[in-house]
Amino acid sequence: MPLDDRAIAISATFTAEAIQPGLAFWTGELGLAYEIRFAGYNTLFQQLLDPVGLFACNRGGINVALARFEDWLAAGVDEQVRRLADAIRAAAASLAAPLIVVVCPPKPQYQEAFVAPQEALREALAGLASVHAIWPADLEALYPVSPMHDPHGEELGHLPYTPVFFVALATAIARKIHAIVTPPYKVTALDCDETLWAGICGEDGPHGVVLDPPRQALHEFMADRRREGMLLALCSKNNEEDVAETFRAHPEMPLRMEDFAARRINWDSKGANLGALAADLGLGIDSFILVDDNPKECTEAQAEAPGILALSLPALASDIPGFLKHIWAFDRARITEEDRRRPDLYAQRAERARAAGAAHNLEQFLASLGLEIGIAPMERAQLARVAQLTVRTNQMNVTPVRRTEAEVQALLAGGAECLTVSVKDRFGDYGLTGAILFQTGGPALKVDTFLLSCRALGRGVEHRMVARLGEIALERGLERVEIPLAAGPRNRPAALFLESLRTADADGVFRLPAAQAAGVRYRPGIVPRSVETQEKAGREARPTGRRRIDYVRIATELRDPNAVLERIRVSTRRTPLPRASFDWPRTPLEKDLVELWTGLLNVPAVGIHDNFFELGGHSLLAVQLLSRVRQIHGVDLSLEVVYSGEFTVAELAKAVELKEIEQAGADYQDLLQELEDLSDEEVRELLAKEQGS
């Protein structure tokens, strides 16, 4: 059966099918149309290396590798981890879909022994752009559960974890998938009073507000996000001088005024101010998160600026740290060096804006910049940034197709080439701001992707990019450069740029003779235009393309795996089978087993003669059932009980009772053997003690 174009393909070193209900729940919750597929039992190495296996055929989805080091004790953990690292490196170069590697937690007795091999694997994966990892410490920090391990399930069916841990595992994987496939938010706009501090600076005075532990945690959380490249802004109904004085009065605050790339502190509506902040930063409104303590302000801001994500902090301040930790909108699949430099880049941008204001015209301003443009073949370390640009760049993007790192790799493996564009001027380094993907076909150099970050627009960089394509075409003896345009409301600047070079053909492709492309030059006009005006050109109001995800519900109602497990059980509960009669339990043991079956099978009622498999049971549930029987009743039953005949509550009760009798008989035989080993005098002494007691 061929894979769906969007599949989650899973391979593990153990029986992992119990993760399916949790993943199905989260794909539904997130609105992701993924098919969930499992590879054959314990075929992880094969799947990573097989050119026609499940992973290799999954070109439009996500691959998930689940590794448990305990499964390699007999073969040698260190050697197997080295094999795994080699297989992942090979897979990263060939698989089209991103790969999530999950190192599953070991039992406590193995934790210390596995530290070194885990660190060796972490080091091996560090440079692989299309590989994302989840470590045991991540699972423990975000989704701790108890009990986690199921020794009896492992013994019966190599099912080593409890149902609630499989839900925790599914949640962590779903969260990572969300980070990979969802365009990241770029700006967090923060309210001040009762958000950044407890109190109201305009009433309590700048010295009267308090940085309590929950707000301290909020500051530290946002400072971490800033270090990852998220821009911070202030959006507060307040007097700006009161806010500035509050920061000066509290040097203990981790965030300082200079950490905010932009601010709107006035008495206007939050929605209007967010729109102004978006204009200031040259970003779409749908890239903003508003964090505010006031639910009313959040609701009004969301209504006025519907593209934003408005987060109302919990009413109980002590809940703030946990709430923020479980807002998936703050997650990043990968943090690049470009991301870390972003806040500094926006500070440089402000300096450029001031220089632009002082220039007499655009030509004078551009000449004063000392612009340096570098166009070169992509290096392997730049892959993550190139893929990121395809997701984040909207205005100067001729075919706004979003591509993962694996998809870019697949294009390169198919013969495409990639050029990267780096820009710097006297104010600083813009970093890697543009990319071109192209192939040669027949007499033409055919562009697949042509994009440039908005922070480099209006400076002639895009003209230099076309000229470089023309030069390459001439060097290779090609006739022309072909640049397709998929026009839309978000990439109007790209359309205007291409139309300034040539008229498109009927199929929407701009075909430039190679010599003409190589001769493209930027000729700025003499009308003064600021950098801000340049970057705003062509930007239009547009509806957000984001899926609407209820992040607050996830952070409040669905952050506990036990709560998610209960939601799954409620949502998948089966209707009772039609029946003429119903056989009620006759003994306390049968009553206990009926309760256990109804919970595991997720049915409202079970008769003692109902067949386990006709009620929807399967082998994994049978393993979990026998494990629970062992925990509750202390009897060790084999899977033969399940498959030797009709598997019903009545038959299971008989098996439990027979095992209890057998175990009691064994205890009696042990006692007789112990007595046989005693002398007559020791027996009489023992009897005397018993009678005396």
Side-chain angles (χ1 to χ4, degrees), residues 183-194:
Y185 287 91
K186 299 179 182 180
V187 187
T188 297
L190 292 155
D191 178 47
C192 291
D193 294 334
E194 303 295 354

Side-chain angles (χ1 to χ4, degrees), residues 356-372:
H360 295 295
N361 54 49
L362 180 59
E363 189 170 10
Q364 184 186 60
F365 165 66
L366 291 175
S368 74
L369 286 178
L371 204 67
E372 296 180 29

Side-chain angles (χ1 to χ4, degrees), residues 111-124:
Q111 286 179 352
E112 188 172 341
F114 292 164
V115 168
Q118 182 176 301
E119 287 308 306
L121 183 61
R122 187 191 297 269
E123 184 176 339

Side-chain angles (χ1 to χ4, degrees), residues 248-269:
R248 289 193 291 268
H250 293 274
E252 75 278 11
M253 289 182 180
L255 292 176
R256 313 305 306 159
M257 281 288 275
E258 55 268 25
D259 291 327
F260 296 92
R263 52 183 180 261
R264 280 293 185 277
I265 303 171
N266 53 42
W267 300 101
D268 295 340
S269 71

Side-chain angles (χ1 to χ4, degrees), residues 49-280:
L49 299 172
D50 187 351
V52 292
L54 184 68
F55 281 2
C57 294
N58 183 27
R59 305 193 64 81
I62 304 287
N63 292 323
V64 180
L66 302 171
R68 197 178 74 119
F69 289 179
E70 283 160 89
D71 298 323
W72 297 330
L73 287 171
V77 172
D78 290 340
E79 175 58 28
Q80 294 299 94
V81 168
R82 279 193 289 273
R83 281 188 63 206
L84 179 65
D86 290 343
I88 291 172
R89 277 193 288 266
S94 62
L95 297 180
L99 174 65
I100 299 175
V101 177
V102 186
V103 178
C104 298
K107 296 188 188 76
Q109 63 264 37
Y110 296 115
Q111 286 179 352
E112 188 172 341
F114 292 164
V115 168
Q118 182 176 301
E119 287 308 306
L121 183 61
R122 187 191 297 269
E123 184 176 339
L125 303 189
L128 302 179
S130 61
V131 178
H132 309 267
I134 299 174
W135 306 97
D138 301 329
L139 292 163
E140 176 63 27
L142 290 171
Y143 304 109
V145 298
S146 182
M148 176 190 302
H149 302 281
D150 185 353
H152 194 49
E154 181 173 3
E155 179 185 330
L156 286 169
H158 203 189
L159 193 68
Y161 299 111
T162 59
V164 70
F165 178 76
F166 275 111
V167 169
L169 191 58
T171 303
I173 293 169
R175 185 166 180 170
K176 184 66 73 173
I177 291 172
H178 166 271
I180 293 169
V181 304
T182 304
Y185 287 91
K186 299 179 182 180
V187 187
T188 297
L190 292 155
D191 178 47
C192 291
D193 294 334
E194 303 295 354
T195 298
L196 283 174
W197 50 73
I200 301 173
C201 63
E203 296 178 5
D204 302 316
H207 292 272
V209 303
V210 176
L211 184 69
D212 56 10
R215 272 77 176 196
Q216 172 85 18
L218 184 148
H219 273 249
E220 292 168 354
F221 179 88
M222 294 301 169
D224 286 342
R225 303 291 77 73
R226 184 180 185 275
R227 282 188 284 272
E228 293 174 356
M230 178 168 269
L231 301 178
L232 301 183
L234 287 176
C235 185
S236 176
K237 290 183 177 179
N238 235 314
N239 292 318
E240 186 160 7
E241 182 50 40
D242 288 341
V243 171
E245 180 57 32
T246 301
F247 277 100
R248 289 193 291 268
H250 293 274
E252 75 278 11
M253 289 182 180
L255 292 176
R256 313 305 306 159
M257 281 288 275
E258 55 268 25
D259 291 327
F260 296 92
R263 52 183 180 261
R264 280 293 185 277
I265 303 171
N266 53 42
W267 300 101
D268 295 340
S269 71
K270 293 279 176 73
N273 278 333
L274 287 168
L277 287 168
D280 286 349

Side-chain angles (χ1 to χ4, degrees), residues 603-624:
V603 292
V606 172
I608 62 170
H609 296 300
D610 291 341
N611 186 284
F612 178 79
F613 296 102
E614 291 177 359
L615 291 172
H618 49 74
S619 58
L620 291 182
L621 283 178
V623 169
Q624 293 173 346

